[in-house]
Amino acid sequence: MAYKSLDSITRSDLKALGISDDISYKLLRDLQNIIRNHGSATPPPERWIEISRRILHPDLPFSFHQMMYYGCYKDYGPDPPAWLPDPKVASLTNVGGLLERRGREFLGDDSYKDPISSFSSFQDFSVSNPEVYWRTILDELNILFSVPPKCVLEKDTSGDNPGGSWLPGAYLNPARSCLSSGSKRRSDDDVVIRWRNEGSDDLAVNNMTLLELRSQVWLAAHALNALDLEEESAIAIDMPMNVESVIIYLAIVLAGHVVVSIADSFSPREISTRLKISKAKAVFTQDEIIRGDKSIPLYRRVVDAEAPLAIVIPARGSFVRMNLRENDLSWNEFLGKAGNMRGVEYIAVEKPAGACTNILFSSGTTGDPKAIPWTNISPLKSAADAWCHLDVHQGDVVAWPTNLGWMMGPWLVYASLINGACMALYNGSPLGPAFAKFVQDAEVTMLGVIPSIVRTWQNSNSTSGYDWSRIRCFGSTGEASNVDEYLWLMSRAHYKPVIEYCGGTEIGGSFVTGSLLQPQSLAAFSTATMGCKLFILGEDGNPLPPEAEGVGELALYPHVFGGSSTLLNGNHYNVYFKGMPTFQGQILRRHGDLFERTSKGYYRAHGRADDTMNLGGIKVGSIEIERVCNSVDDSVLETAAIGVPPPSGGPEQLVIAVVFKNPELRNQDMNLLKKSFNSEIQKKLNPLFKVSSVATLPSLPRTATNKVMRRVLRQQLTQTGDNLETRKRRRFDPTEEPCRLLFFSQALQYLLHSSLLRSFISYGIKINHCHYLGTFREASNPLGNVPTFPRTRVWDPYKRLGISPYASEEEIWASRNFLLEQYAGHERSQESIEGAFEKLLMSSFVKRKKTKINLKTRLKKKVDESPPWLKALLDFVEMPPMDTVFRRLFLFAFMGGWSIMNSAEGGPAFQVAVSLAACVYFLNEKTKSLGRACLIGFGALTVGWFCGSLVIPMIPTAFINPTWTLELLTSLVAYVFLFLSCTFLK
């Protein structure tokens, strides 16, 4: 969209945006005053700052904000700054205050000017003088050493560890620094955690003081000692990030053990993989995750992963309301092991600086994830980044929706507590208005986001009506962000800056970011992180000249404070250093991201280097193309650009996968959108680039950390070799005969999924069922123009879905959804895809028990208030999936109908025997004990027959068919009891 310059904007332009006459008059008058007072000689950035401060506020339409921003920077060129540092308050920042005190000492009297002008020089100083810089920062952070380091960096001359050894000889415990109050100018009464549970949004925010946190961590550490684990045991945490998980995390570190970080979204298979790699001795988890009226059985996932000793924390209340495995402990039982140690100080276990304190994992979408150890130095890197770049200090309230399974979880713990700030935790979904209200009520001053969350907020208008004026800055990590989305984000908090923050688990923080002492451009990084030096590798694989603009794979100077030096399940040197170029005799460290350094010195992320494609001999990143495509049409929510080699070979073809804001738009003609994409890409990127085809998807496949899995899309498109644009979706009319036959057939297949019933009656219906399917196939595809899945007859389900045998459950789902989308309309192809998917799903969940009964909110409240004997009784009941209920209901209803139909020929003895066998079969599947299954089955039959014998004679004969015998009626009651016992009993 083309925007006018500011002096060309009229009242009619504002009226077209939905702004009333009286408001538009005032806005236009204020705008003209700014233009008059800041004439053509005033740089556009200064004019924009005046506009953002004096005119713009969150209640105005965002389209007006865009009009002001783009109008102000019309003809400005690339990288227009959306925020400028204020010289008057620069010295109030952490780095600004340090430079005011010691800038001349560090940089020299002639070189130092002021915090803003000298920031870049100070960044260079941090790289060239690590000894002085890091000692200064560690003093500023008040890090407590039991034994101080003999130096800051000990370089490795042998070449085995290019990153060198940091803080050699030092002994410390980072949890001790988190809980200390003496030298941080904070008191024991300072609030260090604020939180709120989803569903309690009208209640006051909960607070925990430093004294309370320290006492809870000490108690948990004493309880850990009572478990008699070996020294430095690996202990996993698999639960949401809430107050209890923070206490557990700090207690494990304080006790000298090693945290194993596992995201609470993982499947049992992924949990098991991480437990085995880390050799975890115990795991802390939660009984369930509650989101609204839904409950996710987290403990059952951990059990299905064959986890070691589990300590289970209740999601609500004080007690775990489920049966635990033998030797597993509830949270209260665990704390009870500490006896009378409450309030007794736990003496921190001090370990060498290089000792492991936390094992984190890469996302692991293909193959095993990399197991990355965090040492005692990694927390210091996280805290230093927050101090230097996000300006976190005492009195701040830091919120960042994340999980301890990902690096930003531990980062948040250390970044807030070591810096004397308070962390804000919302125990629920961050996507809706409830989270926006929590940010307001908790008085958050630094809010961390990821791009997809911002996109959801903007599209749903979730933040409307909430006051975010206390926010001083935003932080952003994850995938590359979008200019308009982050302009919208800034507008919610009266144009506070967004500090982009990019790093990795193996770095312990960031290598490129922003600063409150530099102008910040939207979706761009303004500086290398303190202590880091960046290199952009050119086409020849060697670093580009310093400050030269260009695009290439990013590499790091090897001496990264807090960076990893080992992998638990891989060769660290081969992964990060092998084959890399050198700079001044030092081999560079590989990171794998594609970055651009712009003409104005900013950095822009273009995704992973393996997400690049070669179009006509020119390398380009997916993110670069997606930025252009996302802004082509307002109806587009997001896109994914993939390079696909044609089936016959040759150069890669560019395919754009599109997700629309309105799902109904997926059925429209894609040719116009394809032309728009081509026009914008050729205009803004390269005239040689051409979009080959456009595919519409309901959503993009993503990892648990919200990164787009372009590899899944590319792999499927490469293997099928089909042009997505030419695939036609066939829509069927349910009133047509072939479709009625299909629906009947599919319903029949669904009900026949019960293996026991199928063994009794499948033969009788097999011929008719196949006839129906054959009739449908002939009628539904008379011309044969619907694309056919080429791997229909491939036996291996992994190969049929086109994925690795090591694919995660998330990737299996993504592949299944993608293939069903592409072969919609071809029934046999869909059957083949669903068949492979079901095999993989069943193999993954074969050991998984059914979820416990999920009562609605009011009923659950009644149960919680009920007597203990009733709660104990409900522990024997569970609610299986509804498809299981319907299948078994169909089976026993069929047995009842069969008994009635044969009532004239003889008694229902055979049908009762079959029903009893079916009941025992289902119970054995559930309990894994044939003896117990037989006992429950015979018990249900006996009770049902006894109750039937008592109840049936009491029913008036007028309501009973005279041909039905007492034996038949009693058997019908018995069927009900058999159905209930095998379906709802544990």
Short mmCIF file of all heavy atoms in Angstrom, two decimals, residues 660-710:
data_model
loop_
_atom_site.label_atom_id
_atom_site.label_comp_id
_atom_site.label_asym_id
_atom_site.label_seq_id
_atom_site.Cartn_x
_atom_site.Cartn_y
_atom_site.Cartn_z
N PHE A 660 -4.67 -18.24 5.23
CA PHE A 660 -5.52 -17.05 5.21
C PHE A 660 -6.11 -16.79 6.60
O PHE A 660 -6.31 -17.72 7.40
CB PHE A 660 -6.67 -17.23 4.21
CG PHE A 660 -6.25 -17.14 2.78
CD1 PHE A 660 -6.17 -18.27 1.98
CD2 PHE A 660 -5.90 -15.92 2.21
CE1 PHE A 660 -5.78 -18.19 0.66
CE2 PHE A 660 -5.51 -15.82 0.89
CZ PHE A 660 -5.45 -16.96 0.11
N LYS A 661 -6.38 -15.51 6.87
CA LYS A 661 -7.05 -15.15 8.12
C LYS A 661 -8.45 -15.74 8.16
O LYS A 661 -8.92 -16.19 9.20
CB LYS A 661 -7.12 -13.63 8.26
CG LYS A 661 -5.76 -12.95 8.38
CD LYS A 661 -5.89 -11.45 8.43
CE LYS A 661 -4.52 -10.78 8.50
NZ LYS A 661 -4.60 -9.31 8.46
N ASN A 662 -9.13 -15.74 7.01
CA ASN A 662 -10.46 -16.32 6.89
C ASN A 662 -10.34 -17.64 6.14
O ASN A 662 -10.00 -17.66 4.95
CB ASN A 662 -11.39 -15.37 6.14
CG ASN A 662 -12.82 -15.91 6.04
OD1 ASN A 662 -13.11 -17.03 6.45
ND2 ASN A 662 -13.72 -15.11 5.49
N PRO A 663 -10.59 -18.79 6.79
CA PRO A 663 -10.41 -20.09 6.13
C PRO A 663 -11.22 -20.26 4.86
O PRO A 663 -10.85 -21.04 3.98
CB PRO A 663 -10.85 -21.09 7.21
CG PRO A 663 -10.71 -20.35 8.50
CD PRO A 663 -11.03 -18.92 8.19
N GLU A 664 -12.35 -19.53 4.73
CA GLU A 664 -13.19 -19.68 3.55
C GLU A 664 -12.50 -19.20 2.28
O GLU A 664 -12.87 -19.58 1.17
CB GLU A 664 -14.51 -18.93 3.75
CG GLU A 664 -15.35 -19.48 4.89
CD GLU A 664 -16.63 -18.70 5.08
OE1 GLU A 664 -16.82 -17.71 4.32
OE2 GLU A 664 -17.43 -19.07 5.96
N LEU A 665 -11.48 -18.36 2.41
CA LEU A 665 -10.78 -17.84 1.24
C LEU A 665 -9.90 -18.88 0.58
O LEU A 665 -9.37 -18.65 -0.51
CB LEU A 665 -9.93 -16.63 1.64
CG LEU A 665 -10.69 -15.41 2.16
CD1 LEU A 665 -9.70 -14.32 2.58
CD2 LEU A 665 -11.64 -14.87 1.10
N ARG A 666 -9.73 -20.05 1.23
CA ARG A 666 -8.86 -21.08 0.66
C ARG A 666 -9.41 -21.62 -0.65
O ARG A 666 -8.67 -22.20 -1.45
CB ARG A 666 -8.71 -22.24 1.65
CG ARG A 666 -7.94 -21.90 2.91
CD ARG A 666 -7.95 -23.04 3.89
NE ARG A 666 -7.46 -24.26 3.27
CZ ARG A 666 -7.77 -25.48 3.69
NH1 ARG A 666 -8.59 -25.63 4.71
NH2 ARG A 666 -7.26 -26.54 3.10
N ASN A 667 -10.71 -21.46 -0.88
CA ASN A 667 -11.32 -22.02 -2.08
C ASN A 667 -11.25 -21.08 -3.28
O ASN A 667 -11.71 -21.42 -4.36
CB ASN A 667 -12.78 -22.38 -1.80
CG ASN A 667 -12.90 -23.44 -0.72
OD1 ASN A 667 -12.08 -24.35 -0.65
ND2 ASN A 667 -13.90 -23.32 0.14
N GLN A 668 -10.72 -19.87 -3.10
CA GLN A 668 -10.71 -18.93 -4.20
C GLN A 668 -9.58 -19.23 -5.18
O GLN A 668 -8.67 -20.01 -4.90
CB GLN A 668 -10.57 -17.51 -3.67
CG GLN A 668 -9.21 -17.21 -3.05
CD GLN A 668 -9.11 -15.78 -2.54
OE1 GLN A 668 -10.06 -15.02 -2.64
NE2 GLN A 668 -7.98 -15.42 -2.00
N ASP A 669 -9.64 -18.59 -6.33
CA ASP A 669 -8.63 -18.78 -7.36
C ASP A 669 -7.30 -18.19 -6.90
O ASP A 669 -7.23 -17.03 -6.51
CB ASP A 669 -9.10 -18.09 -8.65
CG ASP A 669 -8.15 -18.37 -9.81
OD1 ASP A 669 -7.22 -19.19 -9.64
OD2 ASP A 669 -8.33 -17.75 -10.88
N MET A 670 -6.25 -19.03 -6.95
CA MET A 670 -4.94 -18.60 -6.47
C MET A 670 -4.12 -17.87 -7.54
O MET A 670 -3.03 -17.39 -7.25
CB MET A 670 -4.14 -19.80 -5.96
CG MET A 670 -4.67 -20.43 -4.69
SD MET A 670 -4.55 -19.31 -3.27
CE MET A 670 -6.27 -18.83 -3.11
N ASN A 671 -4.62 -17.82 -8.76
CA ASN A 671 -3.83 -17.20 -9.83
C ASN A 671 -3.58 -15.72 -9.57
O ASN A 671 -2.49 -15.21 -9.81
CB ASN A 671 -4.54 -17.38 -11.18
CG ASN A 671 -4.37 -18.79 -11.72
OD1 ASN A 671 -3.31 -19.40 -11.55
ND2 ASN A 671 -5.41 -19.33 -12.33
N LEU A 672 -4.60 -15.01 -9.07
CA LEU A 672 -4.42 -13.58 -8.80
C LEU A 672 -3.40 -13.37 -7.68
O LEU A 672 -2.55 -12.47 -7.77
CB LEU A 672 -5.76 -12.96 -8.40
CG LEU A 672 -6.81 -12.86 -9.51
CD1 LEU A 672 -8.12 -12.28 -8.97
CD2 LEU A 672 -6.29 -11.99 -10.66
N LEU A 673 -3.47 -14.21 -6.65
CA LEU A 673 -2.51 -14.08 -5.56
C LEU A 673 -1.11 -14.43 -6.05
O LEU A 673 -0.13 -13.78 -5.66
CB LEU A 673 -2.91 -15.01 -4.40
CG LEU A 673 -2.15 -14.82 -3.09
CD1 LEU A 673 -2.30 -13.39 -2.57
CD2 LEU A 673 -2.64 -15.81 -2.04
N LYS A 674 -1.01 -15.42 -6.90
CA LYS A 674 0.29 -15.80 -7.46
C LYS A 674 0.89 -14.63 -8.25
O LYS A 674 2.09 -14.32 -8.13
CB LYS A 674 0.13 -17.02 -8.35
CG LYS A 674 1.40 -17.45 -9.08
CD LYS A 674 1.11 -18.62 -10.01
CE LYS A 674 2.31 -18.92 -10.90
NZ LYS A 674 2.03 -20.01 -11.85
N LYS A 675 0.07 -13.97 -9.03
CA LYS A 675 0.56 -12.82 -9.80
C LYS A 675 1.01 -11.70 -8.87
O LYS A 675 2.02 -11.03 -9.11
CB LYS A 675 -0.54 -12.32 -10.74
CG LYS A 675 -0.86 -13.28 -11.89
CD LYS A 675 -1.99 -12.73 -12.75
CE LYS A 675 -2.33 -13.71 -13.88
NZ LYS A 675 -3.47 -13.22 -14.70
N SER A 676 0.26 -11.49 -7.78
CA SER A 676 0.64 -10.44 -6.82
C SER A 676 1.96 -10.78 -6.15
O SER A 676 2.82 -9.90 -5.97
CB SER A 676 -0.46 -10.28 -5.77
OG SER A 676 -1.69 -9.89 -6.37
N PHE A 677 2.12 -12.04 -5.77
CA PHE A 677 3.40 -12.47 -5.18
C PHE A 677 4.55 -12.21 -6.15
O PHE A 677 5.59 -11.67 -5.78
CB PHE A 677 3.34 -13.95 -4.83
CG PHE A 677 2.53 -14.27 -3.59
CD1 PHE A 677 2.01 -15.54 -3.38
CD2 PHE A 677 2.30 -13.30 -2.62
CE1 PHE A 677 1.29 -15.84 -2.24
CE2 PHE A 677 1.56 -13.59 -1.48
CZ PHE A 677 1.06 -14.86 -1.30
N ASN A 678 4.37 -12.64 -7.39
CA ASN A 678 5.43 -12.47 -8.39
C ASN A 678 5.80 -11.00 -8.56
O ASN A 678 6.97 -10.63 -8.63
CB ASN A 678 4.99 -13.07 -9.73
CG ASN A 678 5.35 -14.54 -9.84
OD1 ASN A 678 6.41 -14.95 -9.38
ND2 ASN A 678 4.49 -15.32 -10.44
N SER A 679 4.76 -10.16 -8.63
CA SER A 679 5.00 -8.74 -8.86
C SER A 679 5.82 -8.13 -7.72
O SER A 679 6.80 -7.42 -7.96
CB SER A 679 3.67 -8.01 -8.99
OG SER A 679 3.86 -6.62 -9.10
N GLU A 680 5.44 -8.42 -6.48
CA GLU A 680 6.13 -7.83 -5.34
C GLU A 680 7.53 -8.40 -5.16
O GLU A 680 8.48 -7.68 -4.85
CB GLU A 680 5.31 -8.05 -4.06
CG GLU A 680 4.03 -7.22 -3.99
CD GLU A 680 4.33 -5.73 -4.02
OE1 GLU A 680 5.05 -5.25 -3.13
OE2 GLU A 680 3.86 -5.06 -4.94
N ILE A 681 7.68 -9.72 -5.36
CA ILE A 681 9.00 -10.35 -5.20
C ILE A 681 9.97 -9.82 -6.24
O ILE A 681 11.13 -9.51 -5.94
CB ILE A 681 8.86 -11.88 -5.29
CG1 ILE A 681 8.15 -12.42 -4.04
CG2 ILE A 681 10.24 -12.54 -5.41
CD1 ILE A 681 7.83 -13.89 -4.11
N GLN A 682 9.50 -9.71 -7.48
CA GLN A 682 10.38 -9.23 -8.54
C GLN A 682 10.70 -7.75 -8.37
O GLN A 682 11.79 -7.29 -8.75
CB GLN A 682 9.72 -9.49 -9.90
CG GLN A 682 9.65 -10.98 -10.23
CD GLN A 682 8.75 -11.28 -11.42
OE1 GLN A 682 8.24 -10.36 -12.07
NE2 GLN A 682 8.56 -12.56 -11.71
N LYS A 683 9.78 -7.01 -7.78
CA LYS A 683 10.02 -5.58 -7.57
C LYS A 683 10.95 -5.33 -6.39
O LYS A 683 11.84 -4.49 -6.46
CB LYS A 683 8.68 -4.87 -7.34
CG LYS A 683 8.79 -3.36 -7.19
CD LYS A 683 7.49 -2.75 -6.68
CE LYS A 683 6.31 -3.16 -7.53
NZ LYS A 683 5.03 -2.58 -7.01
N LYS A 684 10.77 -6.08 -5.30
CA LYS A 684 11.49 -5.78 -4.07
C LYS A 684 12.72 -6.66 -3.85
O LYS A 684 13.60 -6.28 -3.07
CB LYS A 684 10.55 -5.93 -2.87
CG LYS A 684 9.41 -4.93 -2.88
CD LYS A 684 8.52 -5.09 -1.65
CE LYS A 684 7.41 -4.04 -1.64
NZ LYS A 684 6.52 -4.18 -0.45
N LEU A 685 12.78 -7.81 -4.51
CA LEU A 685 13.92 -8.70 -4.28
C LEU A 685 14.77 -8.89 -5.53
O LEU A 685 15.91 -8.46 -5.58
CB LEU A 685 13.43 -10.07 -3.76
CG LEU A 685 12.79 -10.08 -2.38
CD1 LEU A 685 12.36 -11.48 -1.99
CD2 LEU A 685 13.73 -9.52 -1.33
N ASN A 686 14.20 -9.53 -6.53
CA ASN A 686 14.98 -9.82 -7.73
C ASN A 686 14.03 -10.09 -8.89
O ASN A 686 13.12 -10.91 -8.75
CB ASN A 686 15.88 -11.04 -7.48
CG ASN A 686 16.95 -11.18 -8.55
OD1 ASN A 686 16.67 -11.25 -9.74
ND2 ASN A 686 18.21 -11.23 -8.12
N PRO A 687 14.23 -9.45 -10.02
CA PRO A 687 13.32 -9.65 -11.16
C PRO A 687 13.39 -11.06 -11.74
O PRO A 687 12.53 -11.44 -12.54
CB PRO A 687 13.79 -8.60 -12.18
CG PRO A 687 15.18 -8.27 -11.79
CD PRO A 687 15.25 -8.43 -10.30
N LEU A 688 14.42 -11.83 -11.36
CA LEU A 688 14.55 -13.19 -11.88
C LEU A 688 13.77 -14.21 -11.06
O LEU A 688 13.59 -15.35 -11.50
CB LEU A 688 16.03 -13.60 -11.93
CG LEU A 688 16.94 -12.74 -12.81
CD1 LEU A 688 18.36 -13.25 -12.72
CD2 LEU A 688 16.45 -12.73 -14.26
N PHE A 689 13.33 -13.84 -9.87
CA PHE A 689 12.58 -14.78 -9.03
C PHE A 689 11.15 -14.92 -9.55
O PHE A 689 10.52 -13.93 -9.93
CB PHE A 689 12.55 -14.30 -7.58
CG PHE A 689 13.89 -14.31 -6.90
CD1 PHE A 689 14.07 -13.67 -5.69
CD2 PHE A 689 14.98 -14.97 -7.47
CE1 PHE A 689 15.31 -13.67 -5.05
CE2 PHE A 689 16.21 -14.99 -6.84
CZ PHE A 689 16.38 -14.34 -5.64
N LYS A 690 10.65 -16.15 -9.52
CA LYS A 690 9.31 -16.40 -10.02
C LYS A 690 8.63 -17.46 -9.17
O LYS A 690 9.22 -18.51 -8.90
CB LYS A 690 9.36 -16.87 -11.48
CG LYS A 690 7.99 -17.17 -12.08
CD LYS A 690 8.11 -17.66 -13.51
CE LYS A 690 6.73 -17.97 -14.09
NZ LYS A 690 6.83 -18.50 -15.47
N VAL A 691 7.40 -17.17 -8.74
CA VAL A 691 6.62 -18.14 -7.98
C VAL A 691 6.07 -19.18 -8.93
O VAL A 691 5.35 -18.86 -9.88
CB VAL A 691 5.48 -17.44 -7.21
CG1 VAL A 691 4.64 -18.47 -6.47
CG2 VAL A 691 6.05 -16.41 -6.24
N SER A 692 6.39 -20.44 -8.66
CA SER A 692 5.92 -21.52 -9.52
C SER A 692 4.48 -21.90 -9.20
O SER A 692 3.68 -22.15 -10.10
CB SER A 692 6.82 -22.75 -9.36
OG SER A 692 6.31 -23.85 -10.06
N SER A 693 4.14 -21.96 -7.93
CA SER A 693 2.78 -22.34 -7.54
C SER A 693 2.48 -21.84 -6.14
O SER A 693 3.38 -21.48 -5.38
CB SER A 693 2.59 -23.86 -7.61
OG SER A 693 3.55 -24.51 -6.80
N VAL A 694 1.19 -21.81 -5.82
CA VAL A 694 0.71 -21.37 -4.52
C VAL A 694 -0.16 -22.47 -3.93
O VAL A 694 -1.04 -23.00 -4.60
CB VAL A 694 -0.10 -20.06 -4.63
CG1 VAL A 694 -0.67 -19.66 -3.28
CG2 VAL A 694 0.77 -18.94 -5.18
N ALA A 695 0.12 -22.83 -2.69
CA ALA A 695 -0.69 -23.83 -1.97
C ALA A 695 -1.36 -23.17 -0.79
O ALA A 695 -0.76 -22.33 -0.12
CB ALA A 695 0.20 -24.97 -1.50
N THR A 696 -2.60 -23.54 -0.51
CA THR A 696 -3.30 -23.01 0.65
C THR A 696 -3.38 -24.10 1.71
O THR A 696 -3.71 -25.25 1.42
CB THR A 696 -4.71 -22.53 0.28
OG1 THR A 696 -5.45 -23.62 -0.26
CG2 THR A 696 -4.63 -21.42 -0.74
N LEU A 697 -3.08 -23.73 2.94
CA LEU A 697 -3.10 -24.66 4.06
C LEU A 697 -3.89 -24.05 5.21
O LEU A 697 -3.94 -22.83 5.36
CB LEU A 697 -1.67 -24.96 4.53
CG LEU A 697 -0.71 -25.60 3.53
CD1 LEU A 697 0.68 -25.72 4.14
CD2 LEU A 697 -1.20 -26.99 3.13
N PRO A 698 -4.51 -24.88 6.06
CA PRO A 698 -5.21 -24.33 7.23
C PRO A 698 -4.25 -23.73 8.25
O PRO A 698 -4.58 -22.80 8.96
CB PRO A 698 -5.96 -25.55 7.80
CG PRO A 698 -5.22 -26.74 7.27
CD PRO A 698 -4.69 -26.34 5.93
N SER A 699 -3.03 -24.28 8.33
CA SER A 699 -1.99 -23.75 9.22
C SER A 699 -0.66 -24.32 8.79
O SER A 699 -0.60 -25.31 8.07
CB SER A 699 -2.28 -24.13 10.68
OG SER A 699 -2.27 -25.54 10.84
N LEU A 700 0.42 -23.67 9.22
CA LEU A 700 1.76 -24.15 8.89
C LEU A 700 2.23 -25.11 9.97
O LEU A 700 1.98 -24.89 11.15
CB LEU A 700 2.73 -22.96 8.80
CG LEU A 700 2.43 -21.93 7.72
CD1 LEU A 700 3.48 -20.82 7.76
CD2 LEU A 700 2.41 -22.56 6.33
N PRO A 701 2.91 -26.19 9.58
CA PRO A 701 3.45 -27.10 10.59
C PRO A 701 4.54 -26.41 11.39
O PRO A 701 5.42 -25.75 10.82
CB PRO A 701 4.01 -28.26 9.75
CG PRO A 701 4.29 -27.66 8.41
CD PRO A 701 3.25 -26.60 8.21
N ARG A 702 4.49 -26.54 12.70
CA ARG A 702 5.45 -25.84 13.56
C ARG A 702 5.99 -26.79 14.62
O ARG A 702 5.34 -27.76 14.99
CB ARG A 702 4.80 -24.63 14.25
CG ARG A 702 4.42 -23.51 13.30
CD ARG A 702 3.77 -22.35 14.04
NE ARG A 702 3.44 -21.26 13.15
CZ ARG A 702 4.26 -20.28 12.82
NH1 ARG A 702 5.47 -20.25 13.34
NH2 ARG A 702 3.90 -19.32 11.99
N THR A 703 7.18 -26.45 15.11
CA THR A 703 7.76 -27.19 16.22
C THR A 703 7.14 -26.70 17.52
O THR A 703 6.34 -25.76 17.53
CB THR A 703 9.28 -26.96 16.29
OG1 THR A 703 9.52 -25.59 16.64
CG2 THR A 703 9.96 -27.27 14.97
N ALA A 704 7.52 -27.36 18.61
CA ALA A 704 7.00 -26.95 19.92
C ALA A 704 7.45 -25.55 20.30
O ALA A 704 6.82 -24.89 21.11
CB ALA A 704 7.45 -27.95 20.99
N THR A 705 8.54 -25.08 19.70
CA THR A 705 9.01 -23.71 19.97
C THR A 705 8.49 -22.73 18.93
O THR A 705 8.99 -21.63 18.81
CB THR A 705 10.54 -23.66 20.00
OG1 THR A 705 11.06 -24.29 18.82
CG2 THR A 705 11.08 -24.37 21.22
N ASN A 706 7.49 -23.18 18.16
CA ASN A 706 6.79 -22.31 17.22
C ASN A 706 7.59 -21.97 15.97
O ASN A 706 7.27 -21.02 15.26
CB ASN A 706 6.37 -21.00 17.91
CG ASN A 706 5.12 -20.43 17.26
OD1 ASN A 706 4.12 -21.12 17.14
ND2 ASN A 706 5.19 -19.20 16.81
N LYS A 707 8.63 -22.73 15.66
CA LYS A 707 9.37 -22.50 14.43
C LYS A 707 8.72 -23.27 13.29
O LYS A 707 8.35 -24.44 13.45
CB LYS A 707 10.83 -22.92 14.59
CG LYS A 707 11.59 -22.08 15.62
CD LYS A 707 13.02 -22.55 15.76
CE LYS A 707 13.76 -21.70 16.79
NZ LYS A 707 15.16 -22.17 16.99
N VAL A 708 8.57 -22.61 12.15
CA VAL A 708 7.93 -23.26 11.01
C VAL A 708 8.80 -24.42 10.51
O VAL A 708 10.00 -24.26 10.31
CB VAL A 708 7.72 -22.24 9.86
CG1 VAL A 708 7.15 -22.93 8.63
CG2 VAL A 708 6.78 -21.13 10.31
N MET A 709 8.18 -25.58 10.33
CA MET A 709 8.90 -26.76 9.85
C MET A 709 8.85 -26.78 8.32
O MET A 709 8.10 -27.55 7.72
CB MET A 709 8.31 -28.03 10.45
CG MET A 709 8.52 -28.15 11.95
SD MET A 709 8.16 -29.80 12.61
CE MET A 709 6.38 -29.82 12.48
N ARG A 710 9.64 -25.91 7.71
CA ARG A 710 9.68 -25.87 6.25
C ARG A 710 10.18 -27.19 5.68
O ARG A 710 9.85 -27.55 4.56
CB ARG A 710 10.56 -24.71 5.78
CG ARG A 710 10.03 -23.34 6.21
CD ARG A 710 10.93 -22.21 5.75
NE ARG A 710 10.47 -20.93 6.26
CZ ARG A 710 10.78 -20.46 7.47
NH1 ARG A 710 11.57 -21.15 8.26
NH2 ARG A 710 10.31 -19.29 7.86
#
